[in-house]
Amino acid sequence: MTTHTMRRPAIQLTITVFALLTAASATSQTPSSFSRSDLTAAQALLQRAQSDSTAYQLAESLTTEVGPRFSGTLGDRAAVAWAQEQMRRLGFENVHTQEVDVPQWVRGEAEFAVLEPWPQPMPSLALGGTVGTPNAGVEAEAVMVKDLAALQALPAGAVKGRIVFFNNPIERRRDWAEYSRAVSVRGGGPTAASALGAVGVVIRSLSTSSQRFPHTGGSRQPQDVPRIPALAISNPDADALQRQFASGRTVRLRIKSTARELPKQRSANVIGEIPGTDLAHEIVILGAHLDSWDVTVGAIDNAAGVGIVLTAAHLIQAQKLKPRRTLRVVLFANEENGSAGSRAYAAAQEQNLANHVLGIEADYGAGPVWQFSTRVNPADVGVIDQMYRVLRPLKMDRGTNEAPGNADLSPLVAKGMPILGPELDGTYYLDVHHTANDTMAQIDPAAIRQSAATFAVGVWLGAQYPGKWQRLPPKPPRP
Ligand SMILES: [Zn+2]
């Protein structure tokens, strides 16, 4: 999961448009429900999925046999080969790649230290896309602010020639509201500070952990603002730095980074299908990103998601079920530092977008799913209730019809594709997200099994729906 995910549409607008659509469709469409045999098959699928460990094994294989797979690296290339091999082994058809140009950003080494009032070094990681410093590093007086609004509220010239410390703690939550709120600091902080004349940025990691791991992550780097070096430090170090500021004395910091951008590299989206029968031209798309950050094997982000979507489609096949609509799994390239894979897929499918009738994406850890949210046309909410009744033994809440969705399917959602948006429990997700500590030790086999079961049942019934999945109004553009 990266910067530009998860903004909720203006609720009032959504309600108004939904109300209009509901009124229009009430006259033109009788409610549809699943056939008894499709529901029976869904229950059998759920039973099987509950004792199947394929998703966990896939995550284990990807993190062990490939490891870190930052886009544009050799690990990324190995991941693309791995994904095709697994799809073939699991019985997918039409397995192929879609080539994508991706940035080649190299982290290099980072150093961070407080110089005054009380000197000490702290572990740090550069934010993705940022530039390095001169060899001698950058030393400057520092200004502490909470977030972008606080930065903008400073008097003119307050950060000119200085290093800005964004100190914006987040709270532990099951949903991703806190991440959603705070991610603007990581994504937009360096640019905003640079525009005001700052020479460097350090941020408190988007983290709920008290361990001394800094969290990296993407940062927007528009062409029209000079790039400045930007690093993240861990929560306990941000606390310590905050205490130095609290002394009221001048705080001076030193940043050194050898991060740099090299020419673009090739990567690829990996695509495989379980072909449909009488509605084969309609696609139910399952998405997850294949890449990871460079500092991690990316178990929860996102080997877990890869395992979940591959397993969901595989189990339907393994049960000898023949979906009416085509199930298409897309493992996207470069989600973490650019989303080039997502954009390339949407561009290549531009003439075929209307045939993408339903989507589901896994990019928030290994689960379990705690509520079965969706973003479907209100005309179709009744069948979601039916789906939920099948899923209820997996112990989740019904959820809302305002699922935020994840990054890679967002271009399709923007064009009105409905989604199933099962919400995975993020209580501990932001303890390790984008850190060297994101390993298989963070995945609970029972949790990922429950998630894969949820996806399998949702996708099976989504493919069988006897009605027509109604599209949504285009999602308002992100601010
Ligand atoms: Zn992710």
Side-chain angles (χ1 to χ4, degrees):
M1 183 178 62
T2 185
T3 47
H4 53 286
T5 55
M6 304 169 313
R7 299 262 162 68
R8 286 165 196 274
I11 290 169
Q12 189 52 50
L13 173 66
T14 312
I15 290 170
T16 309
V17 175
F18 279 11
L20 290 170
L21 282 168
T22 313
S25 58
T27 51
S28 64
Q29 214 203 359
T30 49
S32 300
S33 56
F34 297 111
S35 72
R36 185 169 290 274
S37 65
D38 285 340
L39 288 169
T40 305
Q43 277 155 355
L45 183 63
L46 183 132
Q47 285 296 324
R48 177 180 184 144
Q50 281 183 286
S51 59
D52 184 279
S53 53
T54 306
Y56 187 87
Q57 286 163 1
L58 285 165
E60 208 170 45
S61 168
L62 181 56
T63 53
T64 305
E65 295 160 36
V66 176
R69 47 196 180 281
F70 189 48
S71 63
T73 63
L74 289 175
D76 183 34
R77 247 179 261 180
V80 168
W82 176 91
Q84 292 174 81
E85 191 188 316
Q86 297 301 326
M87 283 184 176
R88 294 200 174 96
R89 181 179 71 81
L90 293 168
F92 287 71
E93 293 184 34
N94 307 329
V95 176
H96 64 283
T97 58
Q98 177 193 4
E99 304 254 300
V100 187
D101 284 333
V102 296
Q104 185 188 180
W105 180 76
V106 179
R107 168 179 308 285
E109 302 293 323
E111 287 174 32
F112 175 73
V114 185
L115 302 177
E116 294 173 20
W118 302 295
Q120 62 167 292
M122 294 173 177
S124 63
L125 284 176
L127 297 184
T130 57
V131 292
T133 61
N135 273 344
V138 169
E139 295 183 11
E141 192 177 322
V143 177
M144 177 172 73
V145 292
K146 181 167 188 284
D147 53 19
L148 297 177
L151 177 74
Q152 300 303 342
L154 291 175
V159 302
K160 196 165 170 45
R162 299 200 169 150
I163 293 172
V164 175
F165 170 40
F166 285 102
N167 184 25
N168 188 18
I170 58 175
E171 281 170 32
R172 184 178 297 287
R173 281 178 72 116
R174 192 158 58 164
D175 65 21
W176 48 28
E178 276 286 281
Y179 185 82
S180 205
R181 173 183 69 77
V183 74
S184 60
V185 168
R186 192 190 71 211
T191 303
S194 170
L196 295 173
V199 294
V201 160
V202 55
I203 71 165
R204 175 189 286 268
S205 292
L206 267 73
S207 173
T208 43
S209 169
S210 59
Q211 305 296 315
R212 208 179 191 192
F213 285 98
H215 298 231
T216 190
S219 176
R220 285 190 295 280
Q221 303 290 329
Q223 297 299 329
D224 54 345
V225 181
R227 294 189 183 194
I228 56 174
L231 308 177
I233 57 174
S234 69
N235 263 330
D237 283 324
D239 292 342
L241 182 53
Q242 181 182 325
R243 288 192 290 271
Q244 298 227 16
F245 275 98
S247 72
R249 303 195 202 186
T250 297
V251 175
R252 285 183 63 80
L253 302 175
R254 177 165 184 276
I255 288 177
K256 188 177 170 189
S257 162
T258 58
R260 61 207 179 276
E261 190 104 35
L262 298 177
K264 290 200 172 201
Q265 282 283 357
R266 268 295 160 91
S267 182
N269 294 330
V270 182
I271 302 167
E273 294 180 342
I274 310 296
T277 52
D278 62 312
L279 295 175
H281 63 287
E282 293 193 7
I283 297 162
V284 175
I285 182 170
L286 296 83
H289 69 85
L290 185 57
D291 61 316
S292 74
W293 275 100
D294 52 342
V295 295
T296 170
V297 298
I300 62 164
D301 188 15
N302 188 27
V306 169
I308 288 166
V309 296
L310 287 174
T311 302
H314 160 68
L315 284 175
I316 289 166
Q317 233 255 32
Q319 278 289 84
K320 309 255 184 296
L321 297 172
K322 299 266 179 252
R324 297 182 68 200
R325 298 177 176 87
T326 294
L327 309 182
R328 177 181 292 173
V329 173
V330 183
L331 301 180
F332 289 96
N334 179 234
E335 190 270 350
E336 296 293 9
N337 65 324
S339 292
S342 169
R343 283 197 307 276
Y345 182 83
Q349 296 290 324
E350 201 177 346
Q351 302 305 318
N352 196 30
L353 286 182
N355 284 329
H356 288 69
V357 298
L358 186 67
I360 190 167
E361 182 169 354
D363 187 14
Y364 205 62
V369 175
W370 67 277
Q371 70 173 0
F372 192 68
S373 292
T374 56
R375 188 174 182 275
V376 301
N377 189 293
D380 294 329
V381 163
V383 289
I384 301 298
D385 290 335
Q386 281 190 297
M387 259 185 209
Y388 172 68
R389 283 197 286 276
V390 178
L391 289 166
R392 207 157 39 189
L394 296 177
K395 296 192 170 55
M396 68 188 76
D397 298 339
R398 170 62 183 82
T400 73
N401 196 34
E402 290 174 27
N406 296 114
D408 283 320
L409 294 187
S410 65
L412 305 180
V413 171
K415 301 281 187 187
M417 180 182 74
I419 53 167
L420 306 179
E423 293 188 51
L424 279 67
D425 190 329
T427 306
Y428 302 104
Y429 185 76
L430 297 174
D431 283 1
V432 298
H433 176 246
H434 296 179
T435 71
N437 204 23
D438 176 8
T439 68
M440 285 304 290
Q442 308 297 332
I443 298 186
D444 171 2
I448 195 171
R449 204 159 44 228
Q450 187 262 20
S451 300
T454 305
F455 275 61
V457 168
V459 163
W460 162 249
L461 290 175
Q464 298 311 97
Y465 179 34
K468 183 173 165 41
W469 286 110
Q470 303 290 313
R471 297 188 77 76
L472 288 154
K475 204 172 178 182
R478 298 192 161 106

